[in-house]
Amino acid sequence: GDRMMSLHGPSPVTTFGPKACMLQNPHAVMHIQDPASQRLTWNKPPKSVLVIKKIQDASLLQPFKELCVFLTEQKNMIVYVESKVLADPAIAGDESFGAVIQKFCTFREDLDDISNRVDFIICLGGDGTLLYASSLFQESVPPVMAFHLGSLGFLTPFKFDTYQSQVTQIIEGNTAIILRSRLRVRVVKESREKKGIIMTNGDSEGSRKSMQYQVLNEVVVDRGPSSYLSNVDLFLDGHLITTVQGDGVIVSTPTGSTAYAVAAGASMIHPNVPAIMITPICPHSLSFRPIVVPAGVELKIMLSRDARNTAWVSFDGRKRQEICHGDSITITTSCFPVPSICFRDPVNDWFESLSQCLHWNVRKKQNYLSSEEEEF
């Protein structure tokens, strides 16, 4: 309905009994955007769309061409496509498609910033395309509509057969969206080039390198090629929670809960739940169970002082890099979620994806026993 929704569902009261009330905290770290039942609206009609296609997948060629013709010719949209998608001979060499290609705006992932030029995004082919779309937008992300072609994914609710009416509905702006929270990850590396040399300006910060990433599924810290268990210290809001000794640790969003985390024993958490999940991978201490913490906290991961070897980290499976003594990984909820467009609504879509992707809760029913039935 139209209830005002807050972080935890309906706005909670802030008075408790006759005398107690919540202290209004002016130092709220961050207002996590409300993930509850929201609908998409446009303040101006959308004009440009980024089409993301899994490359080297022949089954997507026909749908891709059809969609692009529909968008450019019937909807008069400006279509953005990545240069490497058009490098495919099956697209470049198609004369009948040449006129449409002429109208495309192309870009290269590492070079061109399209973050302010794209009104919405259409993904064709698998959950990986949505993770890829997320990686292209390090700040505000345009709404994403994802089609599953072939295999149904957790993040791709749309079937392609009815794409024209579905896309039309979105351009007209009547559709449910779910805000998928992302993690903001900062990796700070100690400089190892000039050990023991004092910087001329005496600035120790100058010797450190800091990188930032926005992550939709998970941050994975693992032991890399080493045969020793990894030893990393895990801090929550500055306090040491535990040392993770094992194959590693997964820090995931609820969206990522159905990916690597669930395989490592985590719960599946609906994307509307504001949370960060910490899941050990084959922990040496069997009492370290997967834990779920509130979305606002700050996690920090560092190599333990007595670790025998380094660790490795990757973000949604990309940008894998080594973590050495003195380096740190800081993780918190990002203020830039991915707005994914729902086929029906956030809850229906999610349970549908569970049953399709995991055959969740499907089992052979026991036979009904009738009193005459004696054979076992």
Side-chain angles (χ1 to χ4, degrees):
D2 296 325
R3 288 180 307 180
M4 274 301 295
M5 303 295 276
S6 79
L7 188 55
H8 304 285
S11 281
V13 294
T14 50
T15 57
F16 312 101
K19 299 243 172 83
C21 67
M22 188 92 89
L23 184 61
Q24 291 305 311
N25 178 7
H27 307 296
V29 186
M30 183 182 78
H31 178 71
I32 294 154
Q33 211 170 346
D34 156 37
S37 50
Q38 283 157 330
R39 299 192 74 77
L40 177 67
T41 174
W42 303 106
N43 49 33
K44 293 197 188 90
K47 273 274 150 264
S48 61
V49 56
L50 164 61
V51 178
I52 292 181
K53 170 189 158 307
K54 188 174 160 194
I55 48 178
Q56 291 151 353
D57 185 336
S59 69
L60 297 177
L61 286 168
Q62 209 36 54
F64 172 74
K65 291 175 184 177
E66 254 187 68
L67 176 68
C68 290
V69 169
F70 172 73
L71 289 168
T72 50
E73 295 180 2
Q74 290 187 43
K75 294 292 166 191
N76 298 315
M77 302 291 288
I78 298 163
V79 175
Y80 280 79
V81 179
E82 214 171 346
S83 311
K84 65 182 176 199
V85 170
L86 298 182
D88 185 333
I91 291 175
D94 180 346
E95 272 103 60
S96 59
F97 193 57
V100 178
I101 293 182
Q102 294 302 302
K103 299 184 189 167
F104 284 159
C105 292
T106 59
F107 70 97
R108 303 225 311 262
E109 177 199 357
D110 39 357
L111 284 178
D112 307 307
D113 179 16
I114 52 161
S115 53
N116 281 321
R117 299 202 237 150
V118 168
D119 296 331
F120 73 105
I121 303 169
I122 296 179
C123 290
L124 298 179
D127 287 353
T129 55
L130 199 102
L131 294 173
Y132 181 67
S134 164
S135 76
L136 292 175
F137 295 86
Q138 289 298 298
E139 290 187 354
S140 171
V141 188
V144 185
M145 175 187 205
F147 287 96
H148 61 86
L149 293 105
S151 61
L152 189 113
F154 280 97
L155 310 178
T156 53
F158 287 92
K159 281 216 294 283
F160 196 74
D161 352 333
T162 54
Y163 77 93
Q164 298 197 345
S165 60
Q166 304 281 10
V167 171
T168 301
Q169 202 177 332
I170 282 148
I171 292 174
E172 286 167 4
N174 176 31
T175 170
I177 57 170
I178 181 164
L179 293 182
R180 297 182 177 275
S181 67
R182 292 197 290 181
L183 299 172
R184 188 192 76 204
V185 189
R186 222 169 89 241
V187 178
V188 176
K189 293 203 159 162
E190 288 287 2
S191 166
R192 272 166 273 284
E193 279 80 75
K194 310 191 184 64
K195 264 215 170 107
I197 298 172
I198 313 256
M199 296 290 181
T200 45
N201 58 3
D203 178 16
S204 62
E205 267 306 304
S207 66
R208 306 175 66 146
K209 207 162 97 225
S210 168
M211 283 93 65
Q212 200 161 290
Y213 306 93
Q214 297 282 332
V215 172
L216 178 59
N217 261 357
E218 76 274 293
V219 182
V220 177
V221 179
D222 64 59
R223 59 196 175 117
S226 162
S227 54
Y228 294 116
L229 298 179
S230 73
N231 265 293
V232 297
D233 292 337
L234 181 63
F235 300 86
L236 195 149
D237 286 339
H239 304 279
L240 178 65
I241 304 282
T242 185
T243 296
V244 184
Q245 205 181 147
D247 284 346
V249 64
I250 302 163
V251 179
S252 76
T253 62
T255 293
S257 71
T258 48
Y260 192 177
V262 76
S267 286
M268 296 183 282
I269 296 193
H270 188 278
N272 271 0
V273 179
I276 296 174
M277 305 168 63
I278 305 164
T279 307
I281 309 171
C282 297
H284 187 244
S285 139
L286 296 182
S287 62
F288 185 178
R289 315 299 301 156
I291 56 181
V292 181
V293 296
V297 303
E298 182 175 86
L299 294 171
K300 189 170 177 183
I301 299 176
M302 298 184 79
L303 217 51
S304 305
R305 288 179 54 172
D306 49 0
R308 293 179 174 182
N309 53 296
T310 61
W312 289 73
V313 63
S314 61
F315 315 93
D316 284 342
R318 298 162 60 90
K319 309 275 187 195
R320 187 167 168 81
Q321 53 193 269
E322 194 172 11
I323 295 296
C324 305
H325 283 96
D327 299 347
S328 68
I329 304 163
T330 306
I331 304 170
T332 188
T333 303
S334 160
C335 11
F336 302 108
V338 173
S340 30
I341 298 172
C342 299
F343 176 65
R344 295 219 321 251
D345 63 75
V347 174
N348 267 304
D349 283 17
W350 195 66
F351 280 102
E352 181 63 19
S353 74
L354 288 190
S355 60
Q356 296 292 325
C357 297
L358 299 179
H359 302 296
W360 184 68
N361 243 358
V362 176
R363 63 185 194 92
K364 282 185 76 67
K365 289 273 187 284
Q366 284 181 312
N367 286 333
Y368 172 71
L369 274 184
S370 63
S371 48
E372 308 78 89
E373 209 171 89
E374 296 297 320
E375 318 140 52
F376 291 109

